Amino acid sequence: MFRSLRGLFSSDLAIDLGTANTMVMVVGGGIVLKEPSVVARHIKSGSVLAVGSEAKLMVGKTPGSIEALRPLKDGVIADFDASEKMINMFIKDIPALKKKLLTPSLRMVICIPSGITDVEKRAVKDSADHAGGKEVYLIHEPMAAAIGIGINVRSEEH
């Protein structure tokens, strides 16, 4: 009973923050978002005008007051503020979360490149925290891939 009650107030997400695309999976709902990792924002105010597909359409076509950018470079966050806002807007767009009674308590697992530095890890975790993550876990992409194909990653055999 507690587990079903908890489900009304929380959600578990897996996020693959890619340089080209961001994917979000909701437990029990599969992949619910696959969008380009692009942000369009007003240069002076920093306000985000669009993210994902809508922002990608603006690349190379914006007036001087608007920039369309990819906030991730080589799989790591290059623009912390834009990444945070992109994650936040993507999460708010997930239909399964809109059905929750209250603002959900989000548990997130985020894939990160294996060569990421501690500073870059902190930037990813902080972005997720500010986007509403109550519990944020980082997992290296090769480990996520191994788990995804069913390899027993706890085994000590090679």
Side-chain angles (χ1 to χ4, degrees), residues 45-74:
S45 70
S47 63
V48 173
L49 306 172
V51 296
S53 299
E54 189 178 343
K56 186 175 181 182
L57 292 173
M58 299 173 146
V59 173
K61 302 173 188 170
T62 60
S65 61
I66 298 172
E67 66 179 343
L69 64 118
R70 291 189 176 277
L72 295 119
K73 304 282 187 224
D74 300 320

Side-chain angles (χ1 to χ4, degrees), residues 105-118:
S105 168
L106 299 174
R107 288 194 306 177
M108 298 182 197
V109 173
I110 301 178
C111 294
I112 55 173
S114 57
I116 196 170
T117 67
D118 288 339

